[in-house]
Amino acid sequence: MSDVLTETKPGTGKAISLSDRAARRISEIVAGEGDGVMLRVSVSGGGCSGFQYGFTLDDHRDADDLVIEKSGATVLIDSVSVMYLEGSEIDFVDDLIGSSFKIHNPNATASCGCGTSFSI
């Protein structure tokens, strides 16, 4: 079985995937938050490289959100952020410098050292 679930929003072309590790961690985080809480991933202007990733908990799904579901975890991505994340994998890493969600983004031409901002 594949280690990622991919979802494509009609018209975008390249799938965004969610790793098993990320799905497990999202499920752990939202377990204590009540029913209907999901992880929202977004891209906004700012950060040291031009764009930055945002991770928030949300209990509202917009009609134009891309929804990725895997192993009980739900990720929402707004329609503007989808174009910056096409072909990306949302992962969760736990290493010596800490644990965090990490986005492996093939569209990024440069990123900062901590991986929270990028440029295209």
Side-chain angles (χ1 to χ4, degrees), residues 1 5 7 16 25 29-30 40 59 62 87 112:
M1 181 174 206
L5 173 74
E7 291 293 327
I16 299 171
R25 185 63 182 134
I29 291 170
V30 300
R40 180 172 292 281
D59 61 359
D62 293 326
C112 68

Side-chain angles (χ1 to χ4, degrees), residues 15-109:
I16 299 171
S17 61
L18 180 64
S19 73
D20 286 337
R21 289 183 300 244
R24 276 193 303 274
R25 185 63 182 134
I26 293 165
S27 293
E28 291 168 2
I29 291 170
V30 300
E33 296 294 325
D35 293 338
V37 175
M38 301 157 277
L39 179 71
R40 180 172 292 281
V41 177
S42 61
V43 173
S44 61
C48 54
S49 294
F51 294 99
Q52 62 187 359
Y53 300 114
F55 302 91
T56 58
L57 297 179
D58 198 340
D59 61 359
H60 176 75
R61 183 182 300 182
D62 293 326
D64 63 345
D65 282 342
L66 171 67
V67 179
I68 303 172
E69 295 178 315
K70 181 175 185 180
S71 303
T74 303
V75 174
L76 305 173
I77 304 172
D78 64 89
S79 60
V80 174
S81 298
V82 166
M83 68 182 184
Y84 296 105
L85 295 170
E86 287 183 340
S88 295
E89 179 192 38
I90 302 167
D91 195 10
F92 184 78
V93 295
D94 192 4
D95 56 25
L96 292 175
I97 62 171
S99 57
S100 63
F101 288 101
K102 181 166 180 70
I103 296 183
H104 305 283
N105 188 340
N107 305 305
T109 57

